C-alpha cells in the first residue's frame, strides 16, 4: 500500500448505509492494482438525509467517481448535472462519473449487469418475451434495461396490494412512453393462472423479488411444473448462490438457469469501465471475491 498511495492517487468510493459489508472496495482496489491504475476506493456510511452534503464533499475532494447504494440511490439524482437514459428511466443511480470539468453524471449499471450476465451465459434479451417477478429496485432496473436492450415484451408480476405494485405500473407507463418497440404489462403475482400462462409463453423468466434470499431462502414463486427445456430462468438473488428456483430449473432441464452473482459482478464491470475506460479483470475478480 505504501508504494501505491501517493499525492496523485485518485479517490473513488461508495456512499450509502450500511456499507461495511460491501465487497466493492476489495473488487475495485484489486482491479486498480492489477491494471496499475493510481486510484483507491473507500466506502463511506452516509444516511439518506446527508446525500446532498456527501455529494458536495465529494465534488470538493475532486473524486474520480463514486457508487451509490441504498438508501441514497434515488435521492442522489437531485444533486447531479445529468443522468444516463437508463438512470433517468429507472429513477435510481448506482454510479456517478465525473468529467474533466467536474460535471457529475448518474448511471444505473444494475440492469446492464443483468443483461451482460445473461450474454455471458449465451442468452441475448433482444427480441425475447420476458416475465419479471417483482417491481422493486432490482426489478425496475432489470425490466427497463431489458426493454432498452431490445426485448419484444416485458411482463411484470408483483403482489397486488403490497408495496411495489404501483411502482410496477409506473415502470409499464415509462416503457410504453419511451420504448415503443417493447410491449409492457403488469399482473398480480397472486393470480396463478395468469402467471402460468405468461411463463408458458415467455422465453426468459426472471426472479427479481426477495424470495429465495434469507429469510425467504428455500422458497420459490414458481411451481416447477412450469419449467420446460426451451425456457431460460434467471435469478437476481445471489445469496445463496443457487436459489431453489435455479436448482429446480436446472433439474427440469431448462435451457439455462442463471444465478444472480454474475449480475453483481457485471454491474461492477460496467461501473469500472465508466470510471476508468478499462476492462476489470472480471474472471479473476469472480474467482477471488465471489466464489
Ligand atoms: P426491493 O426494492 O425491496 O424489492 C423487493 C421486491 O420483492 C418487491 O417486488 C416485493 O414486492 C418483492 N417481495 C418481497 N417479499 C415477497 C414475497 N414474500 N413474495 C413475493 N414478492 C415479494 O428490493 P431489491 O433491492 O429490488 O432486491 C430484490 C432482490 O434483488 C434481492 O434478493 C436482492 O438481493 C437482489 N439484487 C441483486 C442484485 C445483483 O446484482 N445480483 C442487485 C440488486 C438486488 P411486494 O410489493 O410484494 O412487497
Amino acid at each position: 500500500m505504501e508504494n501505491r498511495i501517493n499525492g496523485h492517487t485518485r479517490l473513488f468510493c461508495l456512499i450509502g448505509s450500511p456499507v461495511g459489508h460491501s465487497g466493492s472496495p476489495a473488487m475495485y482496489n484489486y482491479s486498480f492494482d492489477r491494471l496499475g491504475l493510481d486510484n483507491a476506493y473507500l466506502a463511506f456510511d452516509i444516511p439518506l438525509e446527508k446525500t446532498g452534503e456527501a455529494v458536495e464533499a465529494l465534488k470538493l475532494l475532486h473524486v474520480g467517481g463514486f457508487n451509490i447504494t441504498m438508501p441514497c440511490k434515488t435521492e442522489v439524482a437531485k444533486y447531479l448535472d445529468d443522468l444516463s437514459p437508463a438512470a433517468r428511466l429507472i429513477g435510481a443511480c448506482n454510479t456517478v462519473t465525473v468529467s474533466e470539468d467536474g460535471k457529475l453524471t448518474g448511471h444505473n449499471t444494475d440492469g446492464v449487469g443483468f443483461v451482460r450476465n445473461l450474454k455471458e451465459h449465451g442468452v441475448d434479451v433482444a427480441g425475447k418475451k420476458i416475465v419479471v417477478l417483482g417491481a422493486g429496485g432490482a426489478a425496475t432496473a432489470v425490466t427497463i434495461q431489458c426493454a432498452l436492450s431490445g426485448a419484444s415484451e416485458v411482463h411484470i408480476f408483483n403482489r397486488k396490494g403490497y408495496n411495489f405494485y404501483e411502482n410496477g405500473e409506473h415502470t409499464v407507463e415509462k416503457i410504453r412512453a419511451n420504448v415503443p418497440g417493447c410491449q409492457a404489462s403488469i399482473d398480480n403475482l397472486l393470480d396463478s393462472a395468469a402467471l402460468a400462462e405468461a411463463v408458458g409463453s415467455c422465453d426468459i423468466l426472471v426472479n427479481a423479488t426477495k424470495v429465495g434470499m434469507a429469510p425467504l431462502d428455500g422458497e420459490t414463486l414458481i411451481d416447477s411444473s412450469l419449467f420446460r427445456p426451451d425456457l431460460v430462468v434467471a435469478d437476481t438473488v445471489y445469496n445463496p448462490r443457487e436459489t431453489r428456483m435455479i436448482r429446480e430449473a436446472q433439474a427440469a432441464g431448462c435451457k439455462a438457469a442463471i444465478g444472480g452473482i454474475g449480475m453483481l459482478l457485471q454491474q461492477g464491470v460496467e461501473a469500472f469501465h465508466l470510471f476508468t475506460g478499462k476492462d476489470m479483470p472480471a474472471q479473476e475478480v469472480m474467482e477471488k471475491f465471489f466464489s
Side-chain angles (χ1 to χ4, degrees):
M1 191 62 82
E2 68 274 19
N3 295 327
R4 215 170 79 58
I5 306 289
N6 62 66
H8 300 284
T9 304
R10 197 116 204 245
L11 179 65
F12 291 79
C13 65
L14 172 68
I15 61 168
S17 186
V19 291
H21 66 288
S22 171
S24 292
M27 174 173 83
Y28 285 102
N29 285 318
Y30 175 82
S31 303
F32 292 151
D33 248 355
R34 285 286 289 111
L35 297 185
L37 298 172
D38 189 8
N39 298 328
Y41 192 103
L42 293 174
F44 298 116
D45 201 296
I46 303 292
L48 179 65
E49 65 278 12
K50 298 274 184 191
T51 308
E53 281 175 64
V55 173
E56 282 309 313
L58 296 176
K59 274 161 105 168
L60 186 67
L61 295 173
H62 295 293
V63 297
F66 56 98
N67 292 119
I68 309 98
T69 189
M70 294 307 284
C72 310
K73 282 173 112 170
T74 300
E75 177 73 6
V76 73
K78 286 187 199 162
Y79 308 101
L80 306 179
D81 300 300
D82 202 3
L83 295 174
S84 74
R88 192 179 300 283
L89 276 183
I90 293 165
C93 303
N94 70 345
T95 304
V96 171
T97 52
V98 184
S99 67
E100 289 288 316
D101 58 355
K103 195 177 119 189
L104 304 187
T105 303
H107 306 261
N108 189 310
T109 68
D110 285 332
V112 174
F114 175 80
V115 168
R116 284 171 73 137
N117 184 37
L118 259 56
K119 259 217 177 102
E120 290 285 311
H121 288 83
V123 178
D124 192 342
V125 301
K128 301 295 193 312
K129 288 184 175 185
I130 303 177
V131 167
V132 179
L133 309 179
T140 304
V142 165
T143 305
I144 285 179
Q145 190 59 52
C146 285
L148 289 172
S149 298
S152 61
E153 192 179 320
V154 287
H155 195 158
I156 301 168
F157 281 85
N158 198 85
R159 296 182 298 181
K160 206 167 186 171
Y162 284 75
N163 302 306
F164 288 94
Y165 193 86
E166 264 181 40
N167 192 50
E169 289 181 316
H170 288 145
T171 300
V172 167
E173 282 163 21
K174 285 190 273 187
I175 292 173
R176 285 181 182 158
N178 294 281
V179 199
C182 180
Q183 268 189 43
S185 56
I186 179 162
D187 273 303
N188 187 356
L189 180 62
L190 303 175
D191 181 345
S192 44
L195 179 62
E197 193 184 328
V199 173
S201 63
C202 78
D203 303 297
I204 302 172
L205 167 69
V206 186
N207 175 46
T209 71
K210 290 188 165 168
V211 177
M213 70 180 278
L216 302 174
D217 45 336
E219 293 190 25
T220 177
L221 293 169
I222 298 295
D223 189 308
S224 58
S225 66
L226 295 177
F227 292 140
R228 54 193 157 79
D230 60 344
L231 182 67
V232 169
V233 179
D235 215 324
T236 60
V237 175
Y238 55 84
N239 191 10
R241 293 287 183 270
E242 248 185 28
T243 56
R244 177 172 161 199
M245 184 187 78
I246 290 297
R247 272 200 312 279
E248 291 183 350
Q250 269 163 357
C254 287
K255 185 151 82 179
I258 305 167
I261 193 67
M263 171 183 171
L264 185 66
L265 174 70
Q266 293 298 337
Q267 63 77 28
V269 169
E270 179 68 14
F272 189 85
H273 197 268
L274 287 168
F275 286 154
T276 66
K278 298 190 187 309
D279 293 333
M280 179 186 278
Q283 195 56 40
E284 281 176 45
V285 169
M286 177 65 119
E287 283 160 17
K288 213 169 157 48
F289 301 106
F290 295 126
S291 295

